[in-house]
Amino acid sequence: MSTHQELDSSNTEPLQLEQLQQRLEELQEQLLQSQKLGSLGELSSSIAHEFNNILTTIINYAKLGLRQKDADARTKAFDKILSASQRAAKITTGMLSYARSSSDRRESHNLASLLNDVLILVEKDFKVHRIGLDINISADPYASVNAGQIQQVLLNLIVNARQAMEPGRTLTITVSENKEDKMAEICIKDQGTGIPADVLPHIFEKFFTTKKADKNGQGGTGLGLSMCKDVMESHNGRIRVESAVGHGTKFTLRFPCSSQPAFGLKSSEKPNHNPQPEPSPATETTFV
């Protein structure tokens, strides 16, 4: 009898392990989605303020257009309304694209375009906190990625960088491509306080954080950077961080390049900005 029970137990163990593994994957996916919405929540106030400004513009020019008898003046008012409406549509599309729960499907995407979609979401937030943005796109690389996951990584790093800086500072973001090793790079460099050398080796560990959670429970989970690491590794990429106290922090995302799809995303515009100078040589670097 005992032998029969032992056999039954050994048969059920693999099934239980499989069920536990499946449940773990489901919980990880839910956690990833929660992190995604949490990052978007960080920007909710500034996005709502931006929508209010857009609506004010539309209402004022609609009133102006109704009062105008001159055709040229009415056309100008309609142009302003159209421009404001298109701006609102861009923000809405970016929010829906980012927040939407998606599968692990990967396609060849223009990395500069993915970055630009994220910048639309943070633009107002940076203005509110008086943080400058210096964008330097020197290449137009494509990579086979899950667009939503990479945008989540970018948003997480950009929001973290903004939070680390005092008003009047500048965040520098560069997009480049190394033709020799066929790797694309996105660098996010802040002018914040920097990360102490004893803390730097631990920043990608799950639940490790030096930030206290705010009144809404945001900002202190210690899951953001570990998520970034997991996503980059799942894309056969790498995330690197360089930091020194008093000289800011730079995160570098590296992606294997892919071919441009026949009917891919539209290539992004390349703003002609000069990148910020490199930080002091006294930096700490962690490779993952």
Side-chain angles (χ1 to χ4, degrees):
M1 186 64 141
S2 61
T3 303
H4 180 68
Q5 289 176 340
E6 288 176 3
L7 288 174
D8 286 345
S9 177
S10 63
N11 289 334
T12 57
E13 283 180 2
L15 178 61
Q16 291 175 342
L17 287 174
E18 183 179 345
Q19 291 174 338
L20 288 173
Q21 181 63 34
Q22 182 178 355
R23 180 56 179 161
L24 177 61
E25 291 175 358
E26 292 174 354
L27 290 173
Q28 287 176 331
E29 179 62 30
Q30 291 174 14
L31 183 59
L32 194 65
Q33 185 69 6
S34 177
Q35 278 291 112
K36 179 186 294 187
L37 296 176
S39 297
L40 199 57
E42 294 277 350
L43 306 172
S44 59
S45 176
S46 59
I47 290 175
H49 185 71
E50 177 74 344
F51 267 104
N52 186 60
N53 289 341
I54 291 171
L55 287 173
T56 300
T57 298
I58 291 173
I59 292 169
N60 288 340
Y61 276 102
K63 291 179 178 177
L64 182 64
L66 288 172
R67 291 197 302 265
Q68 292 294 332
K69 296 181 180 180
D70 180 70
D72 290 339
R74 284 199 303 270
T75 299
K76 182 179 179 180
F78 291 148
D79 286 341
K80 294 290 185 180
I81 292 172
L82 178 60
S83 178
S85 300
Q86 289 172 333
R87 169 70 178 163
K90 266 189 170 183
I91 296 173
T92 303
T93 300
M95 290 178 65
L96 291 175
S97 173
Y98 176 80
R100 187 180 296 120
S101 178
S102 61
S103 66
D104 199 36
R105 181 180 177 182
R106 298 178 188 181
E107 297 175 329
S108 184
H109 285 275
N110 183 306
L111 294 178
S113 291
L114 294 182
L115 172 64
N116 284 335
D117 289 344
V118 171
L119 292 177
I120 289 172
L121 299 179
V122 303
E123 182 179 354
K124 185 63 180 181
D125 184 64
F126 272 58
K127 289 180 180 178
V128 168
H129 291 90
R130 295 192 294 115
I131 300 295
L133 268 173
D134 187 0
I135 312 301
N136 183 3
I137 301 177
S138 61
D140 209 25
Y142 282 75
S144 180
V145 298
N146 178 295
Q149 291 179 0
I150 297 306
Q151 287 179 325
Q152 185 174 359
V153 170
L154 291 171
L155 186 61
N156 186 280
L157 294 177
I158 290 171
V159 169
N160 282 354
R162 194 273 294 161
Q163 292 174 341
M165 290 189 288
E166 296 294 330
R169 300 287 184 169
T170 299
L171 178 68
T172 301
I173 303 178
T174 63
V175 179
S176 60
E177 180 179 353
N178 189 320
K179 299 290 185 181
E180 294 182 0
D181 62 7
K182 297 181 180 179
M183 296 289 286
E185 287 191 356
I186 299 179
C187 295
I188 300 171
K189 177 177 172 291
D190 67 48
Q191 294 179 335
T193 55
I195 304 171
D198 61 327
V199 172
L200 200 60
H202 304 288
I203 63 172
F204 293 110
E205 295 175 5
K206 284 182 172 62
F207 304 110
F208 178 85
T209 181
T210 58
K211 294 192 298 183
K212 294 181 180 179
D214 61 20
K215 61 182 179 180
N216 297 317
Q218 298 294 332
T221 62
L223 293 172
L225 289 178
S226 66
M227 176 276 297
C228 294
K229 173 179 175 289
D230 290 343
V231 169
M232 291 304 297
E233 287 182 345
S234 72
H235 284 79
N236 297 317
R238 299 183 72 191
I239 181 170
R240 179 179 69 193
V241 58
E242 303 170 54
S243 187
V245 174
H247 293 283
T249 301
K250 180 171 76 171
F251 284 91
T252 301
L253 306 176
R254 304 192 80 229
F255 304 83
C257 291
S258 65
S259 300
Q260 180 175 344
F263 300 97
L265 296 175
K266 181 181 178 182
S267 297
S268 63
E269 297 179 358
K270 303 180 181 64
N272 185 21
H273 293 290
N274 294 321
Q276 295 293 314
E278 289 297 314
S280 163
T283 60
E284 294 286 339
T285 304
T286 294
F287 294 90
V288 179

